[in-house]
Amino acid sequence: MSRRIKCPACQTWNEDRDYCSNCNELLSHELKMEQAREKLREEEKQRPLTQFNNYLKRLKDSDAPIDKVKFTILNSAWWIFLIVVTAMIALVALAPG
């Protein structure tokens, strides 16, 4: 079964195409979504690190033993927090029934 799509830009009907045969406008919803995701990934890469993330990166990449210990403690505390929150959510979800 073929799929017919009307171009929103030039109103030309296109059959089984990702781009309009007349004006080359993008018609495929999947390709539009992939381009939007790629744009978001690029914006995320260009966004500067927060102060805390910069601090964590500095601790992680440091050769000083005290910085390695600080990073391990912060990382462990984060994982413990995530485990506790997950357990609480699971208990709340199981409570009704």
Side-chain angles (χ1 to χ4, degrees), residues 36-90:
R37 282 191 291 269
E38 186 63 35
K39 183 179 176 185
L40 286 175
R41 281 188 217 115
E42 280 299 316
E43 289 173 359
E44 182 71 26
K45 286 180 187 176
Q46 293 179 1
R47 189 179 326 158
L49 291 175
T50 62
Q51 279 186 320
F52 185 69
N53 285 341
N54 198 17
Y55 177 68
L56 285 178
K57 185 175 180 342
R58 189 172 51 89
L59 286 179
K60 183 179 179 183
D61 297 339
S62 176
D63 290 333
I66 190 70
D67 288 342
K68 294 285 186 187
V69 170
K70 287 179 193 176
F71 177 76
T72 303
I73 290 171
L74 285 171
N75 198 25
S76 299
W78 176 247
W79 279 105
I80 290 169
F81 171 75
L82 288 178
I83 291 168
V84 168
V85 168
T86 303
M88 292 172 75
I89 291 171

Side-chain angles (χ1 to χ4, degrees), residues 6-42:
K6 188 174 186 180
C7 177
C10 68
Q11 309 302 317
T12 303
W13 284 96
N14 296 278
E15 194 162 333
D16 287 331
R17 297 183 66 114
D18 291 332
Y19 292 89
C20 178
S21 59
N22 188 35
C23 67
N24 211 25
E25 177 80 17
L26 181 61
L27 301 174
S28 172
H29 180 68
E30 291 83 18
L31 288 177
K32 286 180 184 178
M33 294 305 292
E34 182 58 37
Q35 286 180 353
R37 282 191 291 269
E38 186 63 35
K39 183 179 176 185
L40 286 175
R41 281 188 217 115
E42 280 299 316

